[in-house]
Amino acid sequence: MLSFSTEFPLACGDDGRSFINAINYWIVNSPHTEIEPQHISGLFSGGLRKVEVAHQQVEGLATKIGETKFIALRHITNEPDIQWITSIVHSELSGEAWVGIRTSRESVNPIVQLPAARKPVIVKILLDQVGGGQDGRLAVSGSQHELSSNDINLASALIKGQAGCRLPIIYISRSFSEGFVVNPGVLARDLAGMAHVIAEPNRPFSRRLQIDVKSENVYGGAVGIYWPDGTGMKKLFLGRHFESSADIKKHIVEEIRSALLNRRPLHRCTWAAANEAESRRLIEDLRASGSQEIEKYVEYFDKELTSKSDQLASAEQEIRRLEAQMRGISAKTPSGAELKISTGSEQDFFPDEMLNIVIDCLDSASKGLIADCRRSHVLGEILANNQGSKELNNRREKIKAALRGYSSMTKATSDSLTEMGFDISEEGKHYKLTYNGDGRYTFSLSKSGSDHRSGLNLASDISKTVF
């Protein structure tokens, strides 16, 4: 059962020596190995070589076909109840090197429960000792990519799937208080070699980016998962489905791991591709020597045929997975009609803001209709099947609480307003409150309350304008 899969570019230029050193380091420094350095000293000296020590087997393969160089390893550990198989395949072509890493585990005893899937430590070793390569416009590393205020074009390309990346993009937007819901550095470390983690520079950047990507960007502290080539996206919000930052981080890591398991691998980064290249090399060598040893021809052609059969089986498995996925999508498709409404250039200021505004307006409109009319029936069904949240009412109450009895801008008042998305600036004898950086929603607040109701009057004006 495949438990982990990924491919990512590595730094190259030393003919694979640093890669081999990293692989050897991983093998002999495992706390569970009995393999010594002398056992694997010639593992990658050419062709397919095998080493068996106690309950472990290592197969090394170094070959070249055309301009493509392969260095491949398959590591097998047989425990009493579980067999572990890890394949690591390095392929280099035209000055570009990629590595594919796959781990599978099979239970020998059907009653034995398999342990939780984890990212193999070899990923970190390769990035530390060899270094990540260039994946489109981003370099692979164990750190987050911190955008600057001038990186609008890069951010737009990443979200649109136009940056040439194969790894998925995790975009972490700034919250209204300029913080992050998930620590970008910690998430980048956990997803090293699996995804790129992008940290937004500031809130105004989000507003500028919205124009370029037609509101496809996440904002206000949300986290977005964007798949390569613009094939899909997923937005995650704290408070909607997740109670804590830890919950969001755990979900993102598992979402990426699961997606990579189900993605068709790069053929050049598979054990089958390395074996196929070696078979072709042997056949070409025999042909070049004018060999008449038919038995060897048959043996080598059989190996190539087996490699092709493995690829076909993998393709058929992928087809079955996609068919099952399509059935699942069909099963979730609602039978009732759906309305699709374009929101133009407007963007939610909090999760489902525009949906809640529409539902609130429909609810108000429905109360003024005569009974049993067509509009009453239609709006009634829409309201019954599209329940809004209480966030609009909650925000109306929060703004009242923040400004009730206002006499001066205390830290508590400032914190409450900032948390709701207001930017506060000074203008003479007044403060200027701008909602979510949008100049259309600007309010004036005196530095000293003129009477005990001035704060509530402003709260009422704000509620009518933005909530």
Side-chain angles (χ1 to χ4, degrees):
M1 177 182 180
L2 190 64
S3 59
F4 178 84
S5 176
T6 192
E7 300 108 20
F8 56 91
L10 286 175
C12 63
D14 63 355
D15 207 28
R17 289 190 297 274
S18 59
F19 174 79
I20 293 175
N21 291 338
I23 292 296
N24 290 341
Y25 175 88
W26 172 67
I27 294 173
V28 300
N29 285 279
S30 167
H32 310 293
T33 191
E34 297 181 45
I35 298 176
E36 300 291 339
Q38 63 269 22
H39 295 144
I40 57 174
S41 60
L43 193 61
F44 300 106
S45 57
L48 178 63
R49 298 175 181 270
K50 297 183 180 181
V51 174
E52 288 191 40
V53 178
H55 61 287
Q56 293 181 316
Q57 177 179 317
V58 177
E59 299 177 12
L61 174 59
T63 190
K64 179 180 179 181
I65 186 72
E67 297 300 317
T68 305
K69 300 176 183 178
F70 289 93
I71 303 172
L73 173 98
R74 186 156 65 172
H75 186 282
I76 303 172
T77 301
N78 294 299
E79 296 181 354
D81 296 314
I82 300 174
Q83 182 186 64
W84 299 83
I85 302 176
T86 299
S87 68
I88 307 168
V89 180
H90 177 280
S91 69
E92 185 173 345
L93 174 65
S94 302
E96 180 184 68
W98 278 73
V99 63
I101 302 171
R102 281 166 192 79
T103 299
S104 62
R105 46 197 170 58
E106 297 291 342
S107 174
V108 179
N109 189 334
I111 66 172
V112 173
Q113 186 174 2
L114 293 173
R118 295 181 180 178
K119 183 172 71 173
V121 69
I122 185 59
V123 176
K124 183 178 187 303
I125 291 174
L126 288 173
L127 289 175
D128 288 347
Q129 296 191 14
V130 183
Q134 199 71 19
D135 180 29
R137 294 176 64 177
L138 296 177
V140 175
S141 73
S143 302
Q144 74 272 26
H145 300 272
E146 295 187 355
L147 298 177
S148 73
S149 295
N150 297 321
D151 285 333
I152 286 290
N153 290 338
L154 173 59
S156 176
L158 293 171
I159 287 173
K160 292 177 181 178
Q162 298 172 353
C165 299
R166 176 168 174 82
L167 298 184
I169 305 297
I170 313 299
Y171 188 97
I172 308 178
S173 66
R174 291 277 182 174
S175 68
F176 297 122
S177 59
E178 293 289 345
F180 292 115
V181 168
V182 179
N183 186 310
V186 174
L187 186 60
R189 182 196 63 202
D190 290 349
L191 291 176
M194 301 167 66
H196 299 289
V197 175
I198 312 299
E200 188 172 71
N202 48 58
R203 276 285 297 146
F205 186 92
S206 177
R207 295 290 295 172
R208 290 160 54 205
L209 180 59
Q210 174 203 354
I211 299 170
D212 276 16
V213 300
K214 298 180 180 179
S215 298
E216 287 297 313
N217 60 310
V218 289
Y219 54 89
V223 180
I225 302 176
Y226 296 89
W227 305 108
D229 302 320
T231 53
M233 64 169 292
K234 186 172 185 178
K235 297 180 180 181
L236 307 174
F237 299 90
L238 184 65
R240 182 184 297 180
H241 302 297
F242 306 99
E243 296 182 358
S244 67
S245 296
D247 289 340
I248 289 185
K249 186 173 83 67
K250 181 179 178 181
H251 178 85
I252 292 171
V253 172
E254 182 56 29
E255 179 91 5
I256 296 299
R257 188 189 73 86
S258 178
L260 295 180
L261 282 178
N262 291 313
R263 182 174 64 172
R264 180 170 295 182
L266 284 172
H267 177 60
R268 60 179 280 195
C269 293
T270 63
W271 180 258
N275 266 307
E276 178 186 338
E278 175 64 2
S279 295
R280 287 182 179 178
R281 183 191 68 80
L282 292 170
I283 291 169
E284 291 301 322
D285 286 350
L286 281 174
R287 285 175 176 165
S289 67
S291 173
Q292 300 299 316
E293 299 177 39
I294 303 301
E295 290 80 10
K296 287 188 176 180
Y297 268 111
V298 172
E299 178 187 349
Y300 295 146
F301 275 117
D302 282 347
K303 287 183 178 180
E304 187 168 15
L305 181 60
T306 299
S307 176
K308 293 293 186 183
S309 298
D310 289 344
Q311 295 173 45
L312 179 60
S314 176
E316 289 174 345
Q317 183 179 5
E318 174 73 0
I319 290 171
R320 289 194 294 271
R321 183 191 69 80
L322 291 172
E323 288 175 342
Q325 189 177 50
M326 288 302 297
R327 288 194 295 271
I329 293 172
S330 298
K332 294 176 182 178
T333 302
S335 57
E338 291 185 332
L339 292 176
K340 294 183 179 180
I341 302 175
S342 172
T343 59
S345 62
E346 291 298 330
Q347 183 183 44
D348 280 333
F349 285 152
F350 58 83
D352 289 337
E353 180 210 19
M354 286 187 281
L355 173 62
N356 280 285
I357 288 174
V358 170
I359 290 175
D360 197 45
C361 291
L362 292 177
D363 185 49
S364 297
S366 68
K367 293 173 181 176
L369 299 173
I370 61 173
D372 291 330
C373 71
R374 177 60 177 163
R375 292 193 177 192
S376 176
H377 294 156
V378 171
L379 294 187
E381 277 298 300
I382 292 175
L383 292 169
N385 289 280
N386 295 274
Q387 298 298 319
S389 69
K390 297 180 180 179
E391 187 61 24
L392 286 174
N393 284 330
N394 290 341
R395 287 179 173 252
R396 293 176 187 129
E397 293 303 317
K398 285 180 182 178
I399 197 67
K400 283 183 186 177
L403 296 177
R404 181 178 286 113
Y406 172 83
S407 59
S408 64
M409 183 65 73
T410 64
K411 184 178 185 302
T413 302
S414 174
D415 288 347
S416 294
L417 291 171
T418 300
E419 183 182 352
M420 282 185 282
F422 287 94
D423 297 326
I424 305 172
S425 60
E426 295 188 33
E427 286 196 348
K429 297 181 179 180
H430 293 81
Y431 292 106
K432 184 173 74 172
L433 311 181
T434 305
Y435 186 52
N436 284 292
D438 193 325
R440 295 175 298 176
Y441 314 119
T442 301
F443 307 90
S444 180
L445 175 62
S446 173
K447 290 187 176 180
S448 59
S450 56
D451 62 67
H452 70 284
R453 288 202 52 82
S454 62
L456 285 179
N457 289 337
L458 177 59
S460 176
D461 291 341
I462 290 174
S463 292
K464 290 176 182 177
T465 304
V466 299
F467 302 137

